[in-house]
Amino acid sequence: RRPLLGAARNPSFAPVWSHRFHLLTSDKLCRKDWCVVPERGGTDESNCRTKGAVLGMAVLSESALQGIATHKYVSGDYTWLDHKMTPWWNWAAARLPGSFHPNLVTLIGVLGVVLGYFVWVPFAPNFDYDEAPVWVYLAAAFSIFWSQTMDAVDGKQARRTGACSPLGQMFDHGCDALCTHLLSMMAISALGVATPWKVTFITCTSLVGFWFATVAEYHTGMLSTNDGTSGVTEGQFLLMGAQLLTLGGPWLWRTPIINPGSLQLPLVGYTLSLERTVTLVDVAILVGTYNTMRFSFVIFCSLITEYTDYEIVLANGFTKPAP
């Protein structure tokens, strides 16, 4: 293997990074090449931990290393829209060259989102704008669709070429985390949301569901991307729809829905006093927040049901009791 990072300048870097890469791309945990520290000699674990501390690298525990080496990706159930999109994803995957590494497919999808994000930057640097060219909305919507397709076919490409590995899973997760943030920024740009607290709220809310899904995968061994009725695919199509509905400008989202004054809530008999106009963008934020929170709640319940005693969950902090 070629030396990574600082290995060209300092040969002692190479064994450490080489082992990390070997560990993540293999199905077996090989201890004999744990670490080689030429300055101190030997290959014992204590030397490696010392060298890791000098390099500033995080040292994983034995159980964490075993978990990485034996990790197998297990996907959750498909939604109705996932099933409808599967023929397209299969068609696209079948036309990928066999020489394309699945991580390259993932990276190509991420680059599409990055491009769509930077298309928006000149026109809405502060998320507040009056008009943008039609091609900006079309390019943003296409970048979301492109990313969705590549994210769906990279796993199919990995299975077809026999290149499945824990490294690919970790790389895919990292790219998904980046795309989640960039997609929320693109949505904020299209909607013309310039209020600081709203920008912060939308960004944090979009990441909550991702965080819950990742934590649940760690404990349950399955990555859930939907709550049974809607999920990531539906959210991506909503983002595409938001871009297309905003063709010409964000005037649609500034349409007033409820004017300031008193609002009588039906059924509960409560009068709500509004000091500002509720616009369509406020409704869109509310609907998006509800869907994300519902998904997060379903994932949280799956964590709870993974354990036999609620008191054990509280005492051990989601540490599964021994059988």
Side-chain angles (χ1 to χ4, degrees), residues 77-86 88-89 144-145 147-149 151-152 183 224-227 229-241 295:
D77 296 330
Y78 274 23
T79 62
W80 178 86
L81 189 54
D82 288 327
H83 286 293
K84 294 300 181 182
M85 291 298 297
T86 297
W88 157 249
W89 294 334
I144 299 172
F145 180 76
S147 173
Q148 178 195 70
T149 301
D151 190 40
L183 290 174
S224 297
T225 58
N226 61 79
D227 58 8
T229 57
S230 63
V232 174
T233 304
E234 286 74 11
Q236 291 168 333
F237 272 101
L238 286 176
L239 292 175
M240 286 183 256
F295 170 75

Side-chain angles (χ1 to χ4, degrees), residues 94-178:
R95 274 144 187 83
L96 288 176
S99 59
F100 270 34
H101 193 279
N103 288 352
L104 176 61
V105 179
T106 304
L107 182 60
I108 292 174
V110 174
L111 292 178
V113 174
V114 173
L115 180 61
Y117 170 77
F118 280 105
V119 161
W120 259 116
V121 170
F123 299 97
N126 299 316
F127 306 112
D128 188 9
Y129 72 105
D130 292 324
E131 187 178 0
V134 173
W135 66 266
V136 173
Y137 305 98
L138 297 178
F142 178 77
S143 70
I144 299 172
F145 180 76
W146 176 266
S147 173
Q148 178 195 70
T149 301
M150 293 298 105
D151 190 40
V153 304
D154 57 0
K156 300 179 185 296
Q157 178 75 354
R159 289 185 290 272
R160 187 178 70 164
T161 59
C164 298
S165 70
L167 174 63
Q169 174 71 351
M170 294 177 66
F171 182 73
D172 186 83
H173 269 2
C175 290
D176 288 343
L178 174 62

